Amino acid sequence: MSFLIRQTLIYAVPLMIVALAGVFAERSGIINLALEGIMIFGAFMGVMAVRLIQQWGWFQGAYSAGNWVALQGFALLVMVISALLGAAFAMLLAFAAINLKADQTIGGTALNLLAPALVLFLIRIIVNQNTLTMASGDSASWFMIKKSMFGYGRTEQMGFLGQSFVDKVYPATYICIVLFIVLSVLLYKTKFGLRLRSCGENPQAADSLGINVFKMRYAGVGISGALAGMGGFVYAMTTANCSSNGDVAGFGFLALAVMIFGNWKPLNIAGAALLFGLFKCVAASYASLDINGDGVYLLKQIGVSAHLYRLLPYVITLVVLAFTSKNSRAPKAEGIPYDKGSR
């Protein structure tokens, strides 16, 4: 059960943070279908930053000294870098949608096509292969918390809570959870959040009160890009062994489904992300999943094809959207270019 909880969080948290990215953009009035592309770009830039820091010897010095706090500090620094560059990449969508008044769906699709092509092109230039990896070691040895750091022996147990939420856990997961809570409060309990949401509901009314709709929409897309870029790196670090190959397994599109299923509300999004994360966990580790701790791998013994388990998250996405999309209430002005002269 501890393994199931840990793995579910690993898959759910990137979905959660990227779905919130979509909320910020759409609450400001911009449809951000480019979450997948921004995740791919953020994952690449994060892995590239890790590779460079390793080559400079910073990681190795902290690792050799057993300075785990410094290693997590470097991980946080890379998350910030991914967020900043993800925001910069999202500005392409913001400029096209806000200044040029281009179709936002086409703009987002264009970025989704551009990102993997650009990333693969850069990877081929940098390492002359199709996958960019860390310079040395693996993600778990550099960034994962282990019980040995707290003085536990190899055969000692930390108890249920320790095994589930401390041992073999990435601190980046909890950083994202804290960020999710803080930004949810920012969006729904502050003046800035109220102004941002007003631009997605009735931009003309917001403009009549002196709110700069263009600036607020740029802010919404910028925050959206930052969260998606960070989510891309967290996905790469926790599930892809800190590697980038121009693909994030459709997590950006799954995050859009989580956002719609969650009705653009953070609490609902968190629950939906945990649901999808659970099925993603089952799909990825069904063969080694011991649910009751009795040494029986039930899902493996059923004899169902592995392809069916891999299909589960996407089939569940379609089923859930089919039954819930009618009740979803999107921001009224999303996808509509703002014209100051129209009323």
Side-chain angles (χ1 to χ4, degrees):
M1 184 58 73
S2 294
F3 174 79
L4 183 63
I5 292 172
R6 286 198 308 267
Q7 292 300 113
T8 298
L9 283 176
I10 282 176
Y11 287 108
V13 167
L15 281 175
M16 191 187 305
I17 203 75
V18 178
L20 186 66
V23 171
F24 266 92
E26 299 203 7
R27 284 295 184 189
S28 72
I30 304 295
I31 298 174
N32 189 358
L33 289 183
L35 294 177
E36 177 89 359
I38 300 171
M39 280 187 76
I40 290 171
F41 187 73
F44 165 73
M45 297 310 300
V47 174
M48 189 66 212
V50 170
R51 186 181 179 89
L52 288 174
I53 293 174
Q54 281 187 316
Q55 290 173 345
W56 293 335
W58 297 358
F59 271 136
Q60 189 59 49
Y63 185 76
S64 300
N67 191 344
W68 306 110
V69 175
L71 286 174
Q72 298 309 325
F74 288 138
L76 180 59
L77 173 63
V78 175
M79 289 172 67
V80 172
I81 292 171
S82 298
L84 292 175
L85 293 173
F89 190 68
M91 287 299 104
L92 294 172
L93 173 65
F95 180 75
I98 299 170
N99 293 80
L100 304 181
K101 294 181 172 57
D103 187 286
Q104 296 166 19
T105 303
I106 294 175
T109 304
L111 288 189
N112 284 335
L113 295 173
L114 171 65
L118 177 63
V119 164
L120 284 172
F121 173 70
L122 293 174
I123 290 173
R124 290 289 293 180
I125 290 177
I126 295 166
V127 294
N128 196 28
Q129 57 188 27
N130 294 327
T131 303
L132 183 71
T133 60
M134 299 171 67
S136 63
D138 59 85
S139 182
S141 63
W142 292 99
F143 304 118
M144 184 183 279
I145 296 176
K146 299 184 178 71
K147 61 184 178 182
S148 59
M149 299 177 186
F150 302 92
Y152 285 86
R154 201 170 173 186
T155 58
E156 292 180 284
Q157 298 295 320
M158 295 185 71
F160 177 75
L161 291 178
Q163 291 290 114
S164 301
F165 301 105
V166 179
D167 185 31
K168 297 180 181 178
V169 170
Y170 290 92
T173 298
Y174 296 123
I175 292 172
C176 287
I177 291 174
V178 171
L179 189 62
F180 181 87
I181 295 171
V182 170
L183 289 177
S184 298
V185 172
L186 175 71
L187 184 60
Y188 283 92
K189 300 296 180 181
T190 66
K191 185 186 294 185
F192 169 80
L194 178 61
R195 290 178 174 179
L196 185 78
R197 287 183 288 121
S198 69
C199 293
E201 292 293 337
N202 194 330
Q204 283 80 17
D207 193 14
S208 70
L209 295 173
I211 298 170
N212 190 321
V213 176
F214 295 138
K215 284 185 178 179
M216 295 307 296
R217 287 189 169 182
Y218 262 106
V221 176
I223 295 172
S224 177
L227 291 175
M230 181 185 295
F233 171 66
V234 171
Y235 165 83
M237 179 172 64
T238 57
T239 67
N241 195 23
C242 208
S243 65
S244 172
N245 61 356
D247 180 35
V248 288
F251 261 58
F253 297 116
L254 277 175
L256 284 171
V258 167
M259 177 188 70
I260 296 169
F261 179 36
N263 206 17
W264 289 266
K265 296 177 181 177
L267 194 60
N268 294 347
I269 284 172
L274 288 171
L275 174 66
F276 287 115
L278 175 63
F279 283 105
K280 195 72 179 173
C281 169
V282 170
S285 56
Y286 74 95
S288 58
L289 202 57
D290 180 7
I291 300 174
N292 299 322
D294 55 4
V296 177
Y297 303 110
L298 181 61
L299 296 179
K300 183 181 179 180
Q301 293 180 356
I302 291 175
V304 176
S305 171
H307 299 296
L308 180 62
Y309 288 115
R310 295 190 186 104
L311 278 172
L312 268 178
Y314 307 100
V315 172
I316 293 299
T317 299
L318 291 174
V319 171
V320 166
L321 288 180
F323 285 100
T324 62
S325 58
K326 287 184 179 180
N327 298 323
S328 297
R329 184 191 173 279
K332 288 182 180 178
E334 73 163 358
I336 303 173
Y338 176 60
D339 183 1
K340 240 177 136 53
S342 66
R343 283 291 181 269

